[in-house]
Amino acid sequence: MSEKRRKQLHPAKGKDIIKALTKLGFTARQAKGSHVFLMHPDGRTTTIPVHTREEIDRRLFRKIAADVDMDPEELMYLVDGR
């Protein structure tokens, strides 16, 4: 029996996550400092930190995915541009 392999999460830039979520209909509502607040017309919201040289780690990435009601692997697929 072979097990289905899951795509491993890797660190991602905040700007790339914002681009992926924008394609799904999220819009930037406000920015405070280095954090961008995104909102979807159906009410889902999340906040993405955008720091110049830093990437978002897996734990925060999973939290962002949960905020927008998505599977983390599915969101990573969108962030990777596929």
Side-chain angles (χ1 to χ4, degrees):
M1 278 172 111
S2 70
E3 250 182 62
K4 192 176 184 181
R5 285 187 125 176
R6 295 183 82 150
K7 182 173 177 68
Q8 290 220 347
L9 298 179
H10 56 82
K13 293 191 179 245
K15 286 184 179 182
D16 295 335
I17 296 171
I18 291 170
K19 276 186 199 175
L21 292 175
T22 301
K23 290 178 186 176
L24 295 176
F26 284 84
T27 55
R29 285 293 175 196
Q30 63 186 11
K32 187 168 187 175
S34 60
H35 292 77
V36 178
F37 180 77
L38 298 172
M39 186 172 199
H40 193 272
D42 67 8
R44 296 178 285 167
T45 62
T46 192
T47 302
I48 312 281
V50 183
H51 300 225
T52 307
R53 292 182 196 26
E54 293 182 25
E55 293 184 328
I56 293 173
D57 67 1
R58 287 178 270 197
R59 189 174 72 185
L60 182 54
F61 189 87
R62 288 183 189 279
K63 169 71 170 96
I64 292 166
D67 285 347
V68 298
D69 292 330
M70 288 185 74
D71 183 59
E73 287 81 12
E74 184 181 353
L75 181 55
M76 182 59 69
Y77 184 80
L78 293 172
V79 169
D80 287 343
R82 296 186 188 132

